[in-house]
Amino acid sequence: MTNAFLLRLMEAGDLGDQELSALDDLCRSSRDVAAKKYLWREGDEMAAFPVILSGWAARYQILRNGARQITRLLLPGDAFYFEGSPDGFAVEEVITLSPCRIATIQRGDMRRLIERFPAVGEALRNYGCMENAVLSSWVVNVGRRDALERMAHLICETHFRLSQVDPQLGQQMPFPLTQDDLADVLGLTPVHINRKLQQLRQDGLIVLRSKQLTIHDLRSLQQIAGFDSAYLAPRRQVPRQRPNAAAA
Amino acid sequence: MTNAFLLRLMEAGDLGDQELSALDDLCRSSRDVAAKKYLWREGDEMAAFPVILSGWAARYQILRNGARQITRLLLPGDAFYFEGSPDGFAVEEVITLSPCRIATIQRGDMRRLIERFPAVGEALRNYGCMENAVLSSWVVNVGRRDALERMAHLICETHFRLSQVDPQLGQQMPFPLTQDDLADVLGLTPVHINRKLQQLRQDGLIVLRSKQLTIHDLRSLQQIAGFDSAYLAPRRQVPRQRPNAAAA
DNA sequence: CGGAACATTGACGATAATCAAAGCGAGTGG
DNA sequence: CCACTCGCTTTGATTATCGTCAATGTTCCG
């Protein structure tokens, strides 16, 4: 039972063995999807909600002028499109960034499960809150940090979120984003991304080659980014630390 | 029963009279809060979740360098801090932007209500999805739109969200944000906000005076912003329109 | 009346965008 | 097996949007 989705939900709520194995059952049927394939595009039916068991995907919007903004990275364990209404809030499209394994849970199944185990419903609500927290932090990132800080923050965030569902994760991690993708995540241009990436490399903080990212100095990255994992890990935090901002 | 929170939840899910009146009961006890008061700051207890019955508030983060980014505007009917875990994802602080009337619902009461009426739980999950959609659109806004477009989009969004809980809303609406607040919403500087506001005024699109905003040309604003209300109103949309992007 | 918060204006600077071209690397097909 | 191509990365030169700094106006409120 090493299902990434279960691990994420366990972060979000207190689930017993019964709940977990029932959820696991719902993830039984899964399929493989290649990289750069649409998981969903505007106009498609969406009668179920997909869960990413492995691989990376992205939600994004395209503006009239053709600009793209990625609004969310979907990492292993992430789910999307909870809404009950078929014509939901889904203005966005989804594409895989790497080969993915995807489970598709039928809405009806999930609804029944929640009625049987209210704790699952609560975990899902909390999971939604965590998503909100990530989105908020992206708004902050794009709104108030410069290019280097944004990159550092993104790296810290993805590393942490990956480590939540893969405790063995060390310095090295998959990082399937191209520089164009990175630009569309961080609200910058590919050219600028390239230059700032080089800066991080030259400073010896990271190595990024053939979609593998090696973090050589996590401390410095967190320092640059002002990264604090609190928003991603509600119950893991030991004592809540007061701000006490002795800022650098 | 003109409670703004109920109106928002009715947007999000199918609630019957029973559910609605039970929810209404939970909002009974409410209090008035003046403008520019902290509703919540890091370190505070948060054993309940507040609901805004009237007035505006904002969630924000402060960075080490003192920069502030507002991550969410809380309009009438909005709730915050759903998380069940007391040490939740609450890295952010909340402040009122105008005098507010706030109801405080006890977590336990809400949990019991959801167990009795699963539809309420679903509505809350959907409401969380709508929050997600708003946050996504903010990421897009700050990431890929220039100053003028951002302002226009924010105006369209707030006007629409306000109209959802106040059907009588016309051209004119409350707009309690100072230019500093606006800057912190849009990821810009107050000086720049000022200049772009003047541009909107000179083009005859809006009038903004003493915290009242009058929209003289909503069409043009939407045009500038590339605004489409779909992401805010799931079930109201008549037929889902295909992209068919004959972009300007 | 006085003061504080907020709005406006101008001059200058910097981060990031744009444009364009060249290099690199991996997979494909001849 | 090699040439070719396509996607991706790198580099340089120039531009522009937006930020910074600083001063002056204005409105509101006790």
Side-chain angles (χ1 to χ4, degrees):
Chain A
M1 198 157 63
T2 48
N3 175 333
F5 180 50
L6 299 187
L7 291 173
R8 280 243 185 278
L9 285 190
M10 287 166 69
E11 294 277 339
D14 284 317
L15 300 179
D17 288 341
Q18 278 194 320
E19 284 92 337
L20 289 175
S21 70
L23 275 164
D24 199 36
D25 282 342
L26 290 190
C27 300
R28 278 278 172 267
S29 73
S30 60
R31 69 203 150 100
D32 285 311
V33 180
K36 304 285 174 187
K37 294 291 174 199
Y38 289 100
L39 284 178
W40 189 87
R41 38 193 338 172
E42 197 170 357
D44 285 3
E45 278 303 314
M46 183 44 75
F49 75 81
V51 171
I52 300 200
L53 298 180
S54 71
W56 291 34
R59 287 181 70 151
Y60 62 89
Q61 288 180 41
I62 303 277
L63 303 190
R64 284 168 313 173
N65 61 14
R68 181 178 74 154
Q69 175 70 46
I70 290 177
T71 57
R72 218 171 306 181
L73 284 180
L74 302 168
L75 306 185
D78 281 325
F80 46 108
Y81 297 132
F82 289 128
E83 323 79 81
S85 56
D87 266 345
F89 305 89
V91 181
E92 304 185 343
E93 308 191 1
V94 179
I95 195 173
T96 52
L97 299 172
S98 73
C100 287
R101 171 158 279 269
I102 314 241
T104 299
I105 300 179
Q106 298 306 313
R107 285 179 192 287
D109 291 344
M110 184 56 98
R111 194 176 293 123
R112 272 188 294 279
L113 187 66
I114 290 169
E115 282 183 31
R116 215 168 113 218
F117 301 115
V120 173
E122 196 170 344
L124 278 177
R125 281 195 300 281
N126 288 341
Y127 173 75
C129 266
M130 192 272 283
E131 279 195 304
N132 273 353
V134 173
L135 280 166
S136 291
S137 80
W138 280 35
V139 171
V140 174
N141 216 20
V142 177
R144 287 296 184 214
R145 284 194 254 260
D146 69 22
L148 198 70
E149 295 168 338
R150 287 185 214 180
M151 290 234 359
H153 197 275
L154 181 73
I155 292 172
C156 293
E157 180 196 307
T158 49
H159 180 260
F160 185 87
R161 302 227 305 130
L162 244 32
S163 75
Q164 283 182 317
V165 293
D166 177 9
Q168 281 95 34
L169 190 75
Q171 312 268 92
Q172 202 170 5
M173 60 188 257
F175 200 84
L177 303 200
T178 66
Q179 293 185 6
D180 280 43
D181 294 333
L182 263 175
D184 292 340
V185 167
L186 299 178
L188 298 166
T189 56
V191 175
H192 208 67
I193 291 287
N194 184 285
R195 293 184 166 128
K196 292 302 164 181
L197 221 37
Q198 286 176 52
Q199 191 175 333
L200 288 179
R201 277 195 267 246
Q202 277 160 24
D203 294 352
L205 301 184
I206 63 166
V207 168
L208 175 53
R209 207 171 41 208
S210 54
K211 304 194 181 309
Q212 284 288 316
L213 178 69
T214 310
I215 299 179
H216 282 134
D217 188 346
L218 186 56
R219 268 303 129 70
S220 295
L221 280 178
Q222 293 175 335
Q223 176 62 27
I224 291 171
F227 179 79
D228 174 359
S229 65
Y231 71 103
L232 292 171
R235 44 188 67 235
R236 292 293 162 80
Q237 292 312 99
V238 198
R240 176 194 294 285
Q241 66 276 57
R242 300 264 0 180
N244 190 10
Chain B
M1 198 155 68
T2 48
N3 175 333
F5 180 51
L6 299 188
L7 291 174
R8 280 244 185 277
L9 285 189
M10 286 167 68
E11 295 278 339
D14 283 318
L15 300 178
D17 288 342
Q18 280 194 318
E19 284 92 336
L20 288 175
S21 72
L23 274 164
D24 199 35
D25 281 344
L26 291 189
C27 298
R28 278 277 172 269
S29 73
S30 59
R31 69 203 150 101
D32 285 311
V33 180
K36 303 284 173 187
K37 294 291 175 197
Y38 289 100
L39 283 178
W40 188 87
R41 39 195 335 173
E42 197 170 357
D44 285 2
E45 279 302 316
M46 182 45 74
F49 77 79
V51 171
I52 301 201
L53 298 181
S54 71
W56 292 34
R59 287 181 72 151
Y60 61 89
Q61 289 181 39
I62 302 276
L63 303 190
R64 285 170 312 176
N65 61 13
R68 181 178 73 153
Q69 175 69 46
I70 291 178
T71 57
R72 218 171 307 182
L73 285 180
L74 302 168
L75 306 184
D78 282 324
F80 46 109
Y81 297 134
F82 288 127
E83 323 78 83
S85 56
D87 265 346
F89 305 90
V91 180
E92 305 185 342
E93 309 191 0
V94 179
I95 195 172
T96 52
L97 299 171
S98 72
C100 288
R101 172 158 279 268
I102 314 242
T104 300
I105 300 179
Q106 298 305 314
R107 284 178 191 287
D109 291 344
M110 186 56 96
R111 194 175 293 124
R112 271 187 295 279
L113 187 65
I114 290 168
E115 283 182 29
R116 217 170 110 217
F117 301 115
V120 173
E122 196 171 343
L124 279 177
R125 281 195 301 281
N126 288 342
Y127 174 75
C129 266
M130 191 271 283
E131 280 195 304
N132 270 351
V134 173
L135 281 166
S136 291
S137 80
W138 280 36
V139 171
V140 174
N141 216 22
V142 179
R144 287 295 185 217
R145 281 195 255 260
D146 69 21
L148 198 69
E149 295 167 338
R150 288 184 214 181
M151 293 237 356
H153 196 275
L154 181 74
I155 292 172
C156 292
E157 180 195 308
T158 48
H159 179 260
F160 185 87
R161 302 226 306 131
L162 245 31
S163 74
Q164 283 183 315
V165 293
D166 177 7
Q168 282 95 33
L169 191 74
Q171 313 268 91
Q172 202 170 5
M173 59 187 257
F175 200 85
L177 305 200
T178 66
Q179 293 185 4
D180 280 43
D181 294 333
L182 262 175
D184 291 340
V185 167
L186 299 178
L188 298 165
T189 55
V191 175
H192 208 68
I193 290 287
N194 184 287
R195 293 184 166 128
K196 293 301 166 180
L197 263 181
Q198 286 177 52
Q199 191 175 334
L200 288 180
R201 278 195 267 246
Q202 278 161 24
D203 294 352
L205 302 183
I206 62 166
V207 168
L208 175 53
R209 206 171 44 210
S210 55
K211 302 193 184 307
Q212 285 287 316
L213 177 69
T214 309
I215 300 179
H216 282 132
D217 189 347
L218 185 57
R219 268 304 130 70
S220 295
L221 281 178
Q222 293 175 335
Q223 176 62 28
I224 291 171
F227 179 79
D228 175 357
S229 65
Y231 70 102
L232 291 171
R235 45 188 67 235
R236 291 292 163 82
Q237 291 313 98
V238 196
R240 175 194 294 285
Q241 67 275 59
R242 299 262 4 177
N244 188 11

